[in-house]
Structures are given as C-alpha cells and as structure tokens.
C-alpha cells in the first residue's frame, strides 16, 4: 500500500536519486528546487544551485554501479553519448607524492563526464516518473502540529512569483546540499543539534574547460598530479568529459592557491614540473573562464547522535556531511545513503519499526559516514604539525605512505589501492596480516 506524499528538498544528486527510490513507496513525490535553471540543456548550462559543477567531478566506480542500479541503463546512455571511458590503471597518468603509478590494463573502469551533463541525464529520467513532480521554489520553513515532534509541512516561496505555498508531507527528505539550513531549523524547533565536527584545510581549486584536440592521446586520458601537505603544494587534475572536452582543475595548498586570472592560470599550469603534462597541454585549447572554489573543508553534522529527532524528517547528502573532494567521494557516498534508504524504507511502513524509523535511519547514516569521513579527514590532518597529532594517526599516516610507495612499484598493490579509492573495497583490506607484512617488508628493504 503506497503512503501519500514525500517531499524532497533540493534537486541535486542525492535529491534525484532519493526521489527515484521514494517513488516506489509513495503515491506522490515532490522535489522542491530553488533554481529554475535545472531544466537548461548542456553544454551551455551553469546551474546556480551546484556551483561545484564548474570543477572536475569524478563519479567513482562504486558510484557508477549504484547510479545504474537506481536508474537502469544510464551508463549505456552515457556510453552512447560518447563520454570517454577511463581504465584507472591503463589510462590514468597519476604522479603520487611517492612516484608515478604503473599503467596496465585493469578492470576498474568508469565513464567520464561533467557534473552538468550527469544532472541533465538524471533530470530527464526524473521527469519520466509519473508520480514525481519538480516544483521550483525556495524552501522557507518546515513545521508540524503544535506540541508534536512530527514535521509534516513544507512552506515554500514559489519561483518567479510573490506566492508562498504550504505542502503536506508524510516524509520530508532534506537533500539541499552544503547550503542546507537544516541544523539551524532543528535548533529553532527545539531539537538540540550537536556541535558539528569541522576539519579545515588550506586547499583551493581553480578550473577551466578545454577543447581536447586528440581524445585518443596514447599515453593517458586522465592526468593527476597530487598535492601533499609538507611535500608538494601545487597539483592538477585533467579529466576528459563529454563532447571532446576536458576539465583542468588546478589545486593548491596555502599560499599556492591557484588564481582566477586566465593568464596566471596558464602560467601556473605551464610551470608544473612534468614533461608529459607539458606535452599533453599541446592538445588543449581553453573554452571557458576560470572558476574558483576556496571552501573545501569537511563538516559532519552528526545528526545520528541526537537524543531526540523529529518524526517525518531525514537528512542526506552534503546536508548531513561535507567531504573535502580530494578523493572524489561525495556523490558516491550520497548514492550509498540512498541505497540505505531503499533498504530501510519498508521498515517505515511496518508498525513495529515506524515510530523510531527516522531516528534509526539517521544513526545508520552516521555509521555509513565513518569510513569516508576518516579517510578524507586523515589526509587534511596531515597539515597539522606532527606533535599535535595523536600517535595512532601518525602511525596510520606512516603506514599509508608505505602503501602508496609500494603501489608506485607493485601492480597488485596499485590495484588494491585503486579498488579502495573507488570504494569497491573497504580500507580494512590493508590490515590483513599478509598485506601488512608485504608493506612493511617493502618499507624496510626500501630504507636499507
Ligand atoms: C569543488 C568540488 C569538487 C567536487 N568534486 C567531486 C568529485 O569529483 N566527485 C564527487 O563524487 N563529489 C565531488 N564533490 C562533492 C559533490 O559535489 C557533492 O558531494 C554532491 O553534489 C552532493 O550532492 P547533494 O545532492 O547533497 O547536494 P547538491 O548536489 O549540491 O544539490 C543540492 C541542491 O539543493 C538545492 N537547494 C539548496 N537550497 C535550497 C532551498 N532552500 N530550496 C530548494 N532547493 C535548494 C540546490 O539548488 C541544489 O540543486 C565536489 C565538491 C566540490 C565543492
């Protein structure tokens, strides 16, 4: 029996995936999106609601498997539309802080595309779902009946009009991304939120779109020069996207943040000390201005740890946890949260589990976030001076450095590392006794 109405706040990555899952359980699903430009068609779009799409966006292998599960056939559509496929060993020239990773044929492959393009394909699918409607408007307020801890109404300001509207909801899903104000709203409503965990960094991105003259460049299709606190302050990612173009995203730490001025951008790019990169640049012609992103901090709202949580509301995607994009995990983590929603939704309609369903769901979200949060923040914590770091973390940093060193020399370790980075395996695979022994032996021999 389908419940009545679910309302998703935000038509971004998490919001669209959640709507597809909710449409199987609710009679109506309404998505509220602040910016009407979501219906624009690429390549000319600039979606105001997702300014991060002006930067390179990699959807990891696990993320690609999941999106194809929620939206069957979307990868075939992407392939038919000539988005390049990347073999993460054969086609990726990756200069790590410990050497260049080996290139060989592997089965870790993903399609490469811009975030705009992906959203465009996703919205087309959403519009085909007969019980899902997108309303363009700004979410103003969430409320419920007086003296009740249930939220069941969303007040919105309808776009391009002076009108507001109150919409009833059996379930509200906040997927408003990093600009969500849900923490403040919960506090106003009397639900005390915990102090958010914040791990800052000094990273800055600057990105520009280029025309790719030779898509079949033989040496590699994707280029990554990694930055590392205390080792190398300047790096770059070059990822091909649809329509024979590529994103060039410059990355800088501290005072080495990349600039917005096009000439200075070009100077930064051409000063990076790798002859393979400089040769590759001959295939690229700039098409756009430079976009900057300076706020790349990690924020975890820890809603799962709240003593009381309103019935009728869940929070997913960047609205619950923002990760520094250094490992490109954001969209894949959002998809994993939507998978959790899919698996848990039947419990919402079960009398035994319905009462505490939302609170339990939020606890499960926090559990799911444990691994990606510790992976990403461990990287940012390297910027702290060594004496400020707990001993356990310092040992972890040393162990992971030893893994990276070995991965630059050993194909099997590189495959394992790539599988972990693509969220196909958990980082716990590195703690199997055989792996620890292999890493330590290589580390000791390398030192002697
Ligand atoms: C520079 C940068 C690079 C990144 N690179 C990668 C990468 O390579 N790979 C990766 O997986 N992730 C990457 N990410 C992270 C990724 O962009 C996010 O994790 C992902 O977009 C989260 O999806 P979401 O649906 O939660 O939020 P979003 O996709 O940001 O969507 C939020 C939506 O909510 C709407 N909204 C906001 N407020 C309101 C309101 N009041 N009313 C109505 N609608 C509203 C917005 O308009 C928007 O459409 C990157 C992030 C940044 C900043």
């Amino acid at each position: 029996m389908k419940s009545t109405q679910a309302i998703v706040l935000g038509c971004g990555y998490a919001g669209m995936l959640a709507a597809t899952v909710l449409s199987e359980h609710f009679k109506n699903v309404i998505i509220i999106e602040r910016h009407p430009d979501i219906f624009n068609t690429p390549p000319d779009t600039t979606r105001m609601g997702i300014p991060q799409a002006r930067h390179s966006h990699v959807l990891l292998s696990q993320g690609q498997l999941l999106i194809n599960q929620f939206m069957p056939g979307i990868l075939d559509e992407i392939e038919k539309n000539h988005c390049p496929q990347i073999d993460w060993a054969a086609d990726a020239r990756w200069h790590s802080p410990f050497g260049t990773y080996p290139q060989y044929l592997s089965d870790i492959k993903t399609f490469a595309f811009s975030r705009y393009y992906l959203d465009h394909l996703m919205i087309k699918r959403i519009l085909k779902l007969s019980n899902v409607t997108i309303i363009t408007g700004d979410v103003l307020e969430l409320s419920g009946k007086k003296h009740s801890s249930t939220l069941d109404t969303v007040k919105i300001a309808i776009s391009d009009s002076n009108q507001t509207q109150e919409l009833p909801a059996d379930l509200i899903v906040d997927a408003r991304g990093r600009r969500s104000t849900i923490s403040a709203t919960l506090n106003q409503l009397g639900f005390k939120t915990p102090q958010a965990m914040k791990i800052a960094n000094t990273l800055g991105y600057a990105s520009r779109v280029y025309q790719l003259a030779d898509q079949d460049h033989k040496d590699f299709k994707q280029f990554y020069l990694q930055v590392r606190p205390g080792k190398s302050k300047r790096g770059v990612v070059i990822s091909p996207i649809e329509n024979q173009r590529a994103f060039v995203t410059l990355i800088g730490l501290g005072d080495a943040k990349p600039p917005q001025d096009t000439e200075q951008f070009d100077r930064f790019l051409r000063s990076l000390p790798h002859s393979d990169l400089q040769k590759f640049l001959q295939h690229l012609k700039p098409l756009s201005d430079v976009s900057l992103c300076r706020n790349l901090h990690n924020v975890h709202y820890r809603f799962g740890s709240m003593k009381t949580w309103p019935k009728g509301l869940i929070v997913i995607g960047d609205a619950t946890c923002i990760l520094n994009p250094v490992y490109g995990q954001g969209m894949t983590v959002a998809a994993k949260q939507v998978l959790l929603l899919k698996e848990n939704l039947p419990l919402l309609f079960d009398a035994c589990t319905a009462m505490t369903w939302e609170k339990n769901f939020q606890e499960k979200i926090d559990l799911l976030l444990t691994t990606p949060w510790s992976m990403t923040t461990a990287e940012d914590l390297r910027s702290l001076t060594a004496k400020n770091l707990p001993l356990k973390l310092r040992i972890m940093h040393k162990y992971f450095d030893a893994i990276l060193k070995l991965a630059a020399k050993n194909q099997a370790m590189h495959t394992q590392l790539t599988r972990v980075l693509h969220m196909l395996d958990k980082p716990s695979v590195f703690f199997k006794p055989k792996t620890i022994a292999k890493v330590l032996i290589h580390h000791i021999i390398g030192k002697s």
Side-chain angles (χ1 to χ4, degrees):
M1 173 68 178
K2 285 197 174 185
S3 196
T4 339
Q5 183 151 281
I7 300 190
V8 179
L9 316 181
C11 191
Y13 191 74
M16 283 192 271
L17 290 186
T20 58
V21 165
L22 293 164
S23 70
E24 290 163 15
H25 294 268
F26 287 82
K27 228 187 261 165
N28 297 318
V29 178
I30 298 175
I31 307 179
I32 313 290
E33 169 55 44
R34 185 187 258 166
H35 296 289
D37 63 5
I38 50 167
F39 300 112
N40 289 0
T41 312
D44 305 314
T45 53
T46 44
R47 272 196 62 186
M48 284 170 71
I50 45 165
Q52 70 267 36
R54 297 190 191 118
H55 303 269
S56 165
H57 258 67
V58 168
L59 183 57
L60 303 177
S61 182
Q62 179 64 261
Q64 302 216 351
L65 294 173
L66 287 172
I67 195 173
N68 214 39
Q69 194 174 319
F70 297 125
M71 298 185 166
I74 195 163
L75 291 185
D76 289 342
E77 201 179 339
I78 284 169
E79 186 173 19
K80 263 192 225 133
N81 285 304
H82 308 293
C83 292
Q85 194 181 37
I86 311 286
D87 174 329
W88 281 80
D91 302 326
R93 175 67 51 88
W94 185 325
H95 297 291
S96 87
F98 299 102
T100 305
Y101 289 141
Q103 285 180 254
Y104 54 93
L105 291 177
S106 84
D107 57 3
I108 308 171
K109 294 181 182 147
T110 62
F111 289 103
F113 34 76
S114 68
R115 174 67 195 274
Y116 294 131
Y117 189 68
L118 178 63
D119 279 31
H120 167 68
L121 295 183
M122 290 171 78
I123 287 170
K124 277 204 313 190
R125 281 170 176 257
I126 294 285
L127 292 174
K128 281 189 188 148
L129 297 172
S130 60
N131 60 341
V132 180
T133 315
I134 302 176
I135 297 180
T136 51
D138 199 357
V139 175
L140 298 177
E141 206 177 281
L142 308 183
S143 59
K145 286 176 198 71
K146 246 192 174 163
H147 307 303
S148 139
S149 60
T150 301
L151 297 179
D152 58 12
T153 307
V154 180
K155 185 173 176 185
I156 62 168
I158 306 207
S159 294
D160 301 325
S161 82
N162 293 327
Q163 286 172 0
T164 60
Q165 194 179 352
E166 290 198 350
L167 300 162
D170 297 291
L171 182 65
I172 301 165
V173 179
D174 188 353
R176 280 175 291 173
R178 49 173 56 214
R179 278 160 213 84
S180 169
T181 50
I182 194 65
S183 188
T185 301
L186 285 168
N187 281 312
Q188 277 160 17
L189 291 167
F191 299 93
K192 203 172 157 10
T193 58
Q195 178 85 31
M197 267 197 291
K198 286 190 187 163
I199 306 281
N201 56 53
T202 63
L203 272 177
Y205 274 24
S207 300
R208 211 173 175 192
V209 178
Y210 284 72
Q211 191 71 50
L212 207 48
D214 176 9
Q215 192 141 25
D216 295 319
H217 181 261
K218 284 186 188 56
D219 297 341
F220 51 85
K221 293 183 189 165
Q222 177 135 318
F223 186 92
Y224 187 16
L225 171 60
Q226 221 176 326
V227 297
R228 162 58 67 88
K231 232 171 180 284
S232 44
K233 282 181 159 185
R234 298 183 313 146
V236 64
V237 180
I238 304 181
S239 338
I241 57 171
E242 68 281 354
N243 296 331
Q244 195 123 344
R245 294 174 307 151
F247 258 117
V248 174
T249 294
L250 299 180
I251 306 169
L253 278 170
D255 56 5
K257 284 192 193 68
Q260 185 153 36
D261 175 81
T262 49
E263 273 176 35
Q264 287 176 20
F265 182 99
D266 199 49
R267 228 174 290 145
F268 185 121
L269 183 58
R270 289 184 193 280
S271 70
L272 293 171
H274 284 277
S275 56
D276 49 358
L277 168 68
Q278 299 309 325
K279 223 168 113 196
F280 188 50
L281 293 182
Q282 293 165 9
H283 298 286
L284 298 177
K285 241 171 72 197
L287 290 175
S288 75
D289 288 339
V290 178
S291 299
L292 293 187
C293 186
R294 294 304 194 223
N295 176 2
L296 295 162
H297 312 309
N298 307 275
V299 185
H300 189 335
Y301 291 99
R302 300 189 294 142
F303 294 132
S305 66
M306 283 167 63
K307 273 209 184 92
T308 51
W309 179 261
K311 182 116 197 77
L313 172 75
I314 57 169
V315 185
I316 59 169
D318 278 14
T320 184
C321 179
I322 303 166
L323 297 166
N324 164 2
V326 65
Y327 289 122
Q329 297 182 110
M331 292 189 290
T332 301
V333 169
K336 287 182 85 164
Q337 295 180 353
V338 175
L339 181 65
L340 192 68
L341 177 65
K342 187 181 169 77
E343 289 163 356
N344 279 268
L345 263 177
L347 300 176
L348 178 60
F349 307 109
D350 181 326
C352 300
T353 41
M355 269 317 285
T356 52
W357 184 84
E358 291 84 345
K359 182 170 166 30
N360 293 345
F361 180 76
Q362 224 55 57
E363 285 168 9
K364 288 176 190 171
I365 289 275
D366 278 8
L367 201 63
L368 184 154
L369 287 166
T370 313
T371 304
W373 174 263
S374 47
M375 232 173 111
T376 308
T377 55
E379 187 64 24
D380 283 332
L381 287 170
R382 283 179 191 270
S383 316
L384 292 180
T385 52
K387 65 176 180 343
N388 292 332
L389 287 180
L391 179 65
K392 193 177 156 199
L393 195 56
R394 274 184 277 157
I395 294 172
M396 270 312 148
H397 281 158
K398 289 245 179 282
Y399 183 59
F400 275 100
D401 282 353
I403 291 173
L404 301 186
K405 271 182 206 159
L406 182 54
K409 300 231 161 71
N410 179 292
Q411 199 168 301
M413 185 53 78
H414 177 258
T415 303
Q416 189 56 81
L417 175 67
T418 311
R419 288 188 60 81
V420 170
L421 293 176
H422 278 268
M423 299 180 90
L424 296 166
D425 290 337
K426 291 191 173 142
S428 56
V429 293
F430 293 127
F431 298 98
K432 288 182 182 163
K434 251 177 135 177
T435 309
I436 295 177
K438 195 166 154 186
V439 173
L440 293 184
I441 289 167
H442 178 264
H443 183 67
I444 291 160
I445 292 173
K447 274 194 159 177
S448 62

